[in-house]
Amino acid sequence: MTTTTQPAVPVQSPFKRWLSGVANASDLGMLPVIAALIVIWIVFEVLNANFLTPRNLSNLAAQIVVTGTLALAEIYIILLGMIDLSIGWNSVLAASIFSLSTVFFHLPVVAGLVLGIVFATVVGFLQGMLVSRVGVPSFVVTLGGAMVAEGITLGILTPHGGSVPLSDSLTTAIGTLNLAPLWSWVLSIVLFGAYAAVTLNQIRQRTAGGHEGGYAAVMRLIGVGVLLFGAVFMLNAYRGVPFLLLIFLIALFASAFVTKSTQFGRHLYAVGGNAEAARRAGISVRGIQLAAFIIAGFLVGLAGYLDAARLGVASASVGNGDIMLNAVAAAVIGGTSLFGGRGSVYGALFGALVIESVSNGMNLLGAASSVRFIVEGGILLAAITVDTVLRLKRLRTGRA
């Protein structure tokens, strides 16, 4: 009896399997935005040697806070397959309420802060009710909400010259001071230790279940460590980690926990991926939509306070700028799919870094605002094009 010898199947190394997975992936995650960020930093460093100095990176760290926080709020909505056009003016209105309540009505700073955030959260609730219960498209609801917020802001700030300077010591400290270098290192070690513990536990669970993917997780862990400790080293070389950045990172990590480690987070992705399928699976689609708008409203109120603390003033002119467009662009550039159901809250950080790095670099070069808008628009179009192409690939392979 003749036996047939089967050809030996070549065994790939974990690194080659990871590269093969990336090459054939229909969801690249944040790899494109990280690659784009590296290219942007290299280009600006070549054009201006001051770009990657500790002082400029410290300024950049403070600049990304407002854009990143608003992008974080936007991601909750985009994950549903919707959009919020009111985040810019609602954040300015929240900052205006805080400033007026503390400067003219002499409320304690904490009370004024709570008042501004609660107001923005209520606005998120009302908009969420119109979208989830009545069925009005989010584009229409939030566009109308932006117009209403702009009108109220102009109405309450115009009698005061269009802006209200802040003078309380707490807000000034948050907007201008930095964490001491020693505490910056301690905090970074604690954060990395927590992240490493979670990652290693995930690797152990996947290995016990007979699944692969440990190499990619280890690579991600190493990358996070390099980025985290490298950032702390550069920031400590100037003045330390800005308090503004610390608050943003707390909101970011809290959102990461909510979206990745809770039932609400799993349901959020499910509703955004396929609302009808989620409804048939017993998920309260309306409840998830409403909760997402409420969380986004809270983050919008927080962003308003952080913006006022950074600038030292609550001004209506902030709403006339590109604050909303930058936030939406940061969310999309950070890898959140406009089609819903895909993305990570960490994209708010990297997307904001891309947007503000371009703005910062252009300012160092003395370039006109028109050039900055063209560059940012090109990056946004590229991100949306990649997202659309990958979605079509998922549709063809039945993984949409």
Side-chain angles (χ1 to χ4, degrees), residues 155-391:
I156 62 178
L157 289 185
T158 299
H160 306 287
S163 62
V164 178
L166 304 176
S167 58
D168 66 273
S169 57
L170 177 60
T171 302
T172 302
I174 291 176
T176 59
L177 297 183
N178 301 64
L179 201 62
L182 175 60
W183 286 109
S184 298
W185 283 117
V186 170
L187 182 62
S188 62
I189 292 172
V190 170
L191 290 176
F192 181 74
Y195 180 79
V198 172
T199 301
L200 294 176
N201 183 57
Q202 291 174 345
I203 294 175
R204 182 186 60 79
Q205 291 176 347
R206 290 184 63 84
T207 303
H211 300 288
E212 295 184 356
Y215 185 82
V218 172
M219 291 293 292
R220 186 167 60 248
L221 180 62
I222 295 174
V224 168
V226 171
L227 288 174
L228 178 61
F229 294 123
V232 171
F233 176 80
M234 293 298 291
L235 293 175
N236 281 344
Y238 181 55
R239 294 172 54 192
V241 177
F243 278 117
L244 288 171
L245 180 63
L246 180 61
I247 295 174
F248 166 58
L249 291 179
I250 291 173
L252 179 68
F253 292 139
S255 292
F257 174 79
V258 169
T259 55
K260 295 297 185 181
S261 302
T262 66
Q263 185 182 67
F264 166 77
R266 293 188 290 273
H267 288 178
L268 178 66
Y269 280 93
V271 171
N274 191 321
E276 183 58 32
R279 183 180 291 108
R280 292 180 178 179
I283 296 174
S284 175
V285 173
R286 291 181 176 182
I288 295 298
Q289 292 173 341
L290 179 59
F293 272 92
I294 292 174
I295 294 173
F298 174 86
L299 291 170
V300 166
L302 176 63
Y305 174 74
L306 295 177
D307 196 29
R310 184 175 70 90
L311 299 176
V313 62
S315 175
S317 63
V318 175
N320 291 324
D322 50 6
I323 183 173
M324 183 273 292
L325 296 177
N326 282 346
V328 175
V332 176
I333 291 172
T336 305
S337 174
L338 284 172
F339 300 101
R342 290 180 181 272
S344 168
V345 294
Y346 291 115
L349 171 62
F350 291 103
L353 275 171
V354 168
I355 291 294
E356 295 301 333
S357 292
V358 171
S359 178
N360 182 287
M362 290 296 181
N363 289 335
L364 286 178
L365 297 175
S369 297
S370 56
V371 178
R372 176 173 64 86
F373 285 128
I374 292 172
V375 174
E376 291 178 357
I379 295 174
L380 177 60
L381 286 174
I384 294 176
T385 301
V386 170
D387 178 36
T388 303
V389 170
L390 292 179
R391 182 173 185 269

Side-chain angles (χ1 to χ4, degrees), residues 30-53:
M30 287 182 293
L31 285 178
V33 67
I34 294 175
L37 184 62
I38 293 173
V39 171
I40 290 170
W41 281 14
I42 292 175
V43 169
F44 281 124
E45 177 64 16
V46 171
L47 296 176
N48 191 316
N50 292 321
F51 183 77
L52 291 181
T53 59

Side-chain angles (χ1 to χ4, degrees), residues 88-99:
W89 274 109
N90 279 334
S91 68
V92 176
L93 180 54
S96 303
I97 291 174
F98 165 76
S99 62

